[in-house]
Amino acid sequence: MNIKEKIIEKVLALCALITILTTVGIIGVLLVEAVGFFREVSIIDFLTGTEWTPLFADKNYGILPLVSGTLLTTFIAIGVALPVGLTIAIYLNEYAPKRFKKVLKPLLEVLAVVPTVVYGFFALMIVTPFLKLFITDLSGFNALSPGIVMGIMIIPFVSSLSEDALAAVPDSLRQASYGMGSTRFQTAFRVMVPAASSGIMVSIILALSRAIGETMIVAIAAGQTPVFTFDPTVPIETITAYIVKVSSGDVPQGTVAYQTIFAAGITLFVVTFILNNISFWIKNRYQEKYE
Amino acid sequence: MGIIASISGIVVLAIFIGFVIYMGIQRLSWDFIVQLPSRFAEESGIYTAWMGTVWIMVFTTLISFPLGVGAGIYLEEYARQNRWSMFLEINISNLASVPSIIYGLLGLGVFVRMMQMGNSILAGALTLSLLILPIIIVSTREAIKAVPSSIRDASNALGASKWQTIWHQILPASFGGILTGVILALSRAIGETAPLIVVGALVYVPFAPQNPLDEFTVLPVQIYNWVSRPQEEFIINAAAAIIVLLGITFIMNGIAVYLRNKWQSKMEW
Amino acid sequence: MDSEITSQQPKTSQVETKPKLNPNNRSFKLQAKNVDVFYDDFQAIKDISLDIVENSITAFIGPSGCGKSTFLRLFNRMNDNIDGFQMNGEIRIDNKNIYDESIKVEELRKRVGMVFQKPNPFPKSIYENVAYGLRIQGVKDEDYIENRVIESLKQATLYSEIEDSLDKQALALSGGQQQRLCIARALAVKPSVILMDEPTSALDPISSGKIEDLIHELKKEFTIVIVTHNMQQAARVSDNTAFLYMGNLVEYGDTQKIFTNPKKDRTQNYITGRFG
């Protein structure tokens, strides 16, 4: 009996250990291949080069074009998701009647459950043609359209995290503001939002990390042309889209071209890892503040 | 203004979906469901794709469900509050926000190449399992936490061992919550595209897979394949396949929400 | 007021065991010997020794936070899983130290049943609630289980009320019925000791009365220890009473004596309602 209990505990512990192995596996795989890559390519060239042509005869391994493409789509997405998401959070927390809130929240979640490949289709087939009506020299592939669609996708992400942050602000603060004769609007923007600022920061950072790692929307609608530019109307390529492009073809293992996807992957991993940990750090400090 | 912002995203999504239905409904037919892919758009169907999706989902469930629930039980019931469990917890929330394509690279490096599974269903299912493991673990823990501690006390006081208490009391009482989390996680897995492309699902598969070591493709990858072609007919195919994929995703989420509501009302002792 | 009380720390918490606690020279069922309990740095129980005789009802009283529940839970080791719990001294049942390494906690708890403050039936049928203790012991004989279930329900004076609905969800019962179900559940595994942690505090007066009658009945077969914050209840049901204050055992003795003629001022103050 006692032995059975011990075995069960060990088996369960093993399940939990899988998560550690996953992390070790991710870091291991990325490092091993990336080290092979950096034997061929200097890390300085990689980080500062403005040309990315590993699949061409004239090979260049500067990641900056992919980085610029990633940042461009990410900032467009945040530009959409932040104002809308934050407005929703404030509205839900300060204005919305309870009933309406109960309907609205699950509806918002629907935005997050639509598969990203479907959003990619939307960006390519609907948003880009629509934007062309206003921006005539918009290219068929561009950063603007997938950026906007990605922004729509992460609205519930921003709104629910921000709403949690707003809800965590003690009610006494709101009462105090009303007590001094503030309007609802003043209370929301002068008192509640500043008080919840660290939680809102967390939601922005996590949204950033999410947008940077998003793949299918940009792979479908942003193009596969790595150029170092911040022009949202021309075709670009993000880090993630590059990995998809190479994986779609048949690149033999062991070649530098094969290793590039791991070098690109480790760049992505490091950036999102740092962002996630910044958000942890803020979250911990912020939780202490209210306890 | 708040209302406008709140519903804007939903309205836009509704327009998108309406557009897709308008575009794809003409192509949606029984033939489309049961036909193999073809060079000619009009003759192409999604048979291999949804069969691949079924295979992948079955194996992903078989792998991720016991592992995730097991890890959740361990963290909630066994792990002591110390640095090690803190580390486990931080690690899990970190994994939850690792981009899915990175899991694809992990699967490519470990399952496809190192363990020599090739571009197989097994490799794909293992990759997706690791991807959704954090979601299952977190929801399992939430569900277990919601079981009142008085139940645990009562069982312990009758001389039940730890595992007896977990097996006979905690798990039955939290099952609804666990199931909800697992279904939500699986509905996420069913739409995942990027990691499966990286482990090699974007291949021409002429037949439906027969065993877990066969090559495969899945619905979202098939959609990507069609979207990236220039011909209008393939785009229409993609729209039709999207209707199917969205249908499955929404149904799964609907079931999860229904279960959650039912379970929550039951949990008010 | 309060500081005045706390300033008069008793010099010693040792209380000699009076012979009248053990009128017929019955053996001691439960014994505590120089017990200290710590939760990390906080000392919850301070050097308490006391003996409880077989087939008696003993009440632990005292203001909330005095350690009476902690003390009660020592007898079936329910404190073991609390973080930072640490204990010195000995708790003996039938003259065996239950904190000895050779003792299996699960076995101990089969012999020492417990009833909690809030009724806590499992979210299962009435029948399965009572059968649970037997099932986890590996009893497979369904006839025996059924016998025990019915017998225990009768013993807990619940059977006549629910005779026809043993398959009903336990959570559908009223609060008082739920608590008697919890008692039946404890009885089903034939313990010799029953610990009760404020068993009526969540119930209405009528349900409480039924439970008190039941406790009185059970005394014939079981040794019962009850924690209560209700002084009248302690006076009504118990043979002996122990008054705890801030982790110390202030006074322990015959219930009649404690309530009519307490030796210590602090006990007097408490039972007359001047504090706590």
Side-chain angles (χ1 to χ4, degrees), chain C residues 2-273:
Chain C
D2 233 42
S3 61
E4 193 191 339
I5 292 155
T6 43
S7 63
Q8 321 172 338
Q9 289 281 347
K11 294 282 174 308
T12 168
S13 52
Q14 278 287 88
V15 173
E16 48 188 315
T17 329
K18 297 285 181 314
K20 57 179 154 313
L21 283 175
N22 192 0
N24 307 324
N25 266 332
R26 283 180 294 185
S27 59
F28 289 126
K29 184 73 182 173
L30 309 171
Q31 293 168 291
K33 291 196 167 158
N34 303 97
V35 173
D36 293 314
V37 170
F38 297 87
Y39 294 123
D40 292 321
D41 295 334
F42 173 71
Q43 186 166 6
I45 299 290
K46 295 167 188 164
D47 192 26
I48 292 186
S49 299
L50 113 185
D51 300 324
I52 291 172
V53 78
E54 204 167 14
N55 293 359
S56 69
I57 302 175
T58 306
F60 293 169
I61 61 169
S64 30
C66 70
K68 56 190 191 297
S69 275
T70 295
F71 192 51
L72 182 79
R73 285 162 166 260
L74 287 176
F75 291 94
N76 66 345
R77 296 185 57 172
M78 283 295 275
N79 294 323
D80 285 21
N81 293 332
I82 296 172
D83 280 339
F85 168 78
Q86 218 193 327
M87 191 195 102
N88 302 325
E90 280 186 7
I91 297 282
R92 304 181 82 88
I93 296 182
D94 292 330
N95 220 19
K96 235 193 225 139
N97 181 10
I98 60 166
Y99 284 82
D100 191 89
E101 275 182 20
S102 66
I103 296 286
K104 281 180 73 179
V105 183
E106 287 88 23
E107 295 301 325
L108 165 72
R109 288 178 185 159
K110 283 165 194 165
R111 288 171 43 216
V112 183
M114 186 162 193
V115 178
F116 297 82
Q117 188 167 356
K118 265 180 73 182
N120 54 356
F122 299 126
K124 300 180 177 226
S125 71
I126 294 170
Y127 185 92
E128 284 306 318
N129 261 277
V130 186
Y132 180 69
L134 297 167
R135 293 203 193 282
I136 57 171
Q137 288 183 20
V139 178
K140 293 273 185 290
D141 183 350
E142 281 300 324
D143 290 341
Y144 175 74
I145 291 179
E146 191 177 342
N147 270 332
R148 282 304 302 149
V149 169
I150 292 172
E151 224 171 287
S152 309
L153 285 169
K154 280 181 180 159
Q155 216 170 355
T157 64
L158 184 61
Y159 189 66
S160 57
E161 293 164 50
I162 47 116
E163 207 168 350
D164 304 320
S165 46
L166 290 177
D167 293 334
K168 235 171 77 176
Q169 274 293 311
L171 290 165
L173 297 174
S174 74
Q177 287 176 324
Q178 286 189 11
Q179 194 62 304
R180 276 179 285 149
L181 176 66
C182 292
I183 294 174
R185 184 174 65 188
L187 298 180
V189 294
K190 295 189 171 170
S192 57
V193 179
I194 300 175
L195 309 174
M196 298 187 168
D197 193 353
E198 306 199 16
T200 64
S201 66
L203 304 178
D204 61 88
I206 295 173
S207 307
S208 299
K210 281 188 187 166
I211 303 261
E212 282 180 20
D213 294 345
L214 170 58
I215 293 172
H216 228 65
E217 273 307 301
L218 295 175
K219 181 182 144 179
K220 291 172 197 154
E221 276 184 60
F222 306 94
T223 308
I224 296 171
V225 186
I226 177 170
V227 161
T228 178
H229 62 233
N230 180 335
M231 242 83 61
Q232 284 78 26
Q233 183 171 64
R236 277 195 303 267
V237 301
S238 69
D239 302 317
N240 297 307
T241 297
F243 173 54
L244 279 77
Y245 182 69
M246 291 181 72
N248 295 295
L249 178 60
V250 178
E251 194 165 350
Y252 175 45
D254 184 81
T255 299
Q256 287 282 316
K257 294 252 166 65
I258 291 240
F259 277 92
T260 51
N261 189 18
K263 290 201 183 59
K264 303 262 168 67
D265 289 347
R266 199 187 307 281
T267 316
Q268 169 88 35
N269 287 343
Y270 182 69
I271 60 177
T272 52

Side-chain angles (χ1 to χ4, degrees), chain A residues 267-283:
Chain A
T267 313
L268 189 64
F269 181 74
V270 168
V271 172
T272 52
F273 184 81
I274 290 171
L275 286 174
N276 294 339
N277 282 286
I278 293 175
S279 77
F280 282 144
W281 183 75
I282 297 177
K283 216 191 285 181

Side-chain angles (χ1 to χ4, degrees), chain B residues 196-236:
Chain B
L196 292 182
I197 292 178
V198 177
V199 298
L202 191 70
V203 285
Y204 175 68
V205 187
F207 302 108
Q210 303 294 321
N211 74 65
L213 290 174
D214 280 351
E215 293 196 330
F216 70 102
T217 193
V218 290
L219 258 181
V221 172
Q222 182 69 67
I223 292 169
Y224 173 64
N225 186 352
W226 279 335
V227 169
S228 36
R229 297 199 194 184
Q231 298 94 332
E232 169 84 17
E233 289 78 15
F234 281 110
I235 302 288
I236 290 170

Side-chain angles (χ1 to χ4, degrees), chain B residues 230-259:
Chain B
Q231 298 94 332
E232 169 84 17
E233 289 78 15
F234 281 110
I235 302 288
I236 290 170
N237 279 1
I242 284 174
I243 297 173
V244 176
L245 180 63
L246 277 182
I248 298 172
T249 313
F250 286 156
I251 288 171
M252 286 181 79
N253 276 276
I255 293 173
V257 170
Y258 170 77
L259 278 176

Side-chain angles (χ1 to χ4, degrees), chain B residues 1-266:
Chain B
M1 196 180 93
I3 301 177
I4 296 170
S6 303
I7 57 174
S8 62
I10 300 160
V11 169
V12 170
L13 183 68
I15 294 171
F16 286 173
I17 292 175
F19 181 89
V20 166
I21 293 174
Y22 172 74
M23 200 173 167
I25 199 81
Q26 43 173 319
R27 189 71 188 79
L28 208 56
S29 66
W30 182 246
D31 283 348
F32 184 68
I33 307 283
V34 297
Q35 267 169 351
L36 300 171
S38 156
R39 280 190 300 130
F40 306 103
E42 293 80 7
E43 290 170 18
S44 279
I46 53 170
Y47 183 68
T48 53
W50 70 257
M51 280 296 280
T53 291
V54 169
W55 274 90
I56 282 280
M57 293 315 289
V58 167
F59 278 88
T60 302
T61 311
L62 288 178
I63 298 162
S64 64
F65 182 71
L67 284 181
V69 175
I73 294 172
Y74 179 79
L75 288 172
E76 205 54 43
E77 296 284 330
Y78 288 90
R80 299 205 161 257
Q81 286 297 322
N82 56 23
R83 280 176 166 215
W84 167 241
S85 65
M86 264 267 284
F87 176 68
L88 270 172
E89 246 164 77
I90 292 175
N91 180 53
I92 288 169
S93 34
N94 238 325
L95 281 178
S97 35
V98 168
S100 63
I101 195 161
I102 300 286
Y103 283 92
L105 293 173
L106 170 71
L108 177 64
V110 174
F111 303 129
V112 177
R113 309 275 183 190
M114 216 170 84
M115 299 186 178
Q116 312 229 320
M117 294 178 193
N119 306 336
S120 65
I121 286 171
L122 194 59
L126 282 166
T127 305
L128 286 188
S129 295
L130 294 184
L131 171 69
I132 62 172
L133 213 50
I135 310 176
I136 298 181
I137 293 174
V138 170
S139 53
T140 300
R141 296 188 63 180
E142 295 294 321
I144 291 177
K145 254 189 216 143
V147 178
S149 64
S150 62
I151 297 287
R152 189 171 293 130
D153 285 345
S155 181
N156 285 336
L158 284 166
S161 68
K162 194 160 195 164
W163 178 247
Q164 281 176 327
T165 300
I166 294 169
W167 184 251
H168 293 290
Q169 301 299 342
I170 309 285
L171 285 182
S174 57
F175 190 68
I178 294 174
L179 202 63
T180 304
V182 170
I183 295 174
L184 285 178
L186 290 175
S187 88
R188 158 102 194 264
I190 216 168
E192 276 297 342
T193 320
L196 292 182
I197 292 178
V198 177
V199 298
L202 191 70
V203 285
Y204 175 68
V205 187
F207 302 108
Q210 303 294 321
N211 74 65
L213 290 174
D214 280 351
E215 293 196 330
F216 70 102
T217 193
V218 290
L219 258 181
V221 172
Q222 182 69 67
I223 292 169
Y224 173 64
N225 186 352
W226 279 335
V227 169
S228 36
R229 297 199 194 184
Q231 298 94 332
E232 169 84 17
E233 289 78 15
F234 281 110
I235 302 288
I236 290 170
N237 279 1
I242 284 174
I243 297 173
V244 176
L245 180 63
L246 277 182
I248 298 172
T249 313
F250 286 156
I251 288 171
M252 286 181 79
N253 276 276
I255 293 173
V257 170
Y258 170 77
L259 278 176
R260 182 166 56 196
N261 289 342
K262 209 176 130 185
W263 178 67
Q264 271 174 352
S265 54
K266 203 188 121 194

